[in-house]
Amino acid sequence: MNLWIWIVRIFPSVFGGLYLRKLYYSKFFGHSDFIIPDNVTMDNIRNIKIGNCFRVCPDVKIFTENEGEIEIGNNFFANYNCFFSANKEKIVIGNDCLLGPDVLIINSNHDTKRNILIREQPNVAKKIVIGNNVWIGAKSIILPGVTIGDNAVIAAGSIVNKNVEPYTLVGGVPAKFIKILI
């Protein structure tokens, strides 16, 4: 067994966290310009790419499965308890994006065909693209197939199921156009 893995298992709170951030994560991300608290979950890290100045608060969860990928640009911040899930397709987040607490970005959902139990429906995945300089308010949900344009703002508590034009503010359930940003 690798000595470092043994040390990480024995001393996870101090030494293990330091090891993960400075050695393990930087090996996969290609840099060490990020802050990832100890209780952040990143699953299938080989399919996650992050830019410089990546900052997340505790309880953020980033998952990829079935060849799904997540790409996050530079100067990114996610507040407490955000959740990202990429299944089969990509989630692409541009530079200078901010996410409030409890934001969900999920790129797959169950199909809804008649006469088939929901639990037996296949997952349908679609790419999500979030542009540069986007602010997503607290407790918002971004659903599969959505593209959010550059400089857009998503109001807190919104469910985004359609594309958002650049320089617009949207909000509500489902999210609707509110105004053009100046």
Side-chain angles (χ1 to χ4, degrees), residues 18-86:
L18 175 65
Y19 172 71
L20 284 175
R21 283 190 292 279
K22 295 301 178 195
L23 301 175
Y24 182 73
Y25 285 156
S26 63
K27 174 184 173 187
F28 289 105
F29 299 145
H31 63 84
S32 59
D33 185 13
F34 49 80
I35 294 175
I36 301 174
D38 288 335
N39 56 342
V40 168
T41 303
M42 297 180 100
D43 184 46
N44 201 2
I45 197 167
R46 293 182 193 275
N47 291 349
I48 300 169
K49 295 175 181 68
I50 65 169
N52 291 317
C53 199
F54 175 87
R55 308 288 185 261
V56 294
C57 288
D59 300 318
V60 169
K61 295 166 187 66
I62 302 174
F63 292 100
T64 65
E65 61 182 329
N66 299 322
E67 305 303 318
E69 295 179 18
I70 297 176
E71 293 180 11
I72 300 173
N74 298 324
N75 304 312
F76 173 82
F77 175 76
N79 214 318
Y80 290 89
N81 206 38
C82 290
F83 180 85
F84 306 78
S85 177

Side-chain angles (χ1 to χ4, degrees), residues 78-154:
N79 214 318
Y80 290 89
N81 206 38
C82 290
F83 180 85
F84 306 78
S85 177
N87 182 7
K88 299 179 187 173
E89 291 285 339
K90 276 187 173 182
I91 295 174
V92 179
I93 301 174
N95 297 322
D96 303 300
C97 291
L98 303 173
L99 279 61
D102 300 308
V103 169
L104 305 177
I105 301 175
I106 303 168
N107 80 340
S108 68
N109 205 345
H110 290 280
D111 207 350
T112 55
K113 294 185 174 124
R114 290 181 86 158
N115 301 323
I116 299 175
L117 296 172
I118 293 295
R119 65 180 168 80
E120 294 176 354
Q121 301 274 351
N123 274 345
V124 177
K126 296 179 183 172
K127 185 176 182 178
I128 294 175
V129 177
I130 298 172
N132 297 317
N133 194 37
V134 171
W135 176 20
I136 301 176
K139 296 189 181 288
S140 293
I141 301 171
I142 311 301
L143 294 175
V146 167
T147 296
I148 299 174
D150 293 345
N151 305 294
V153 176
I154 311 301

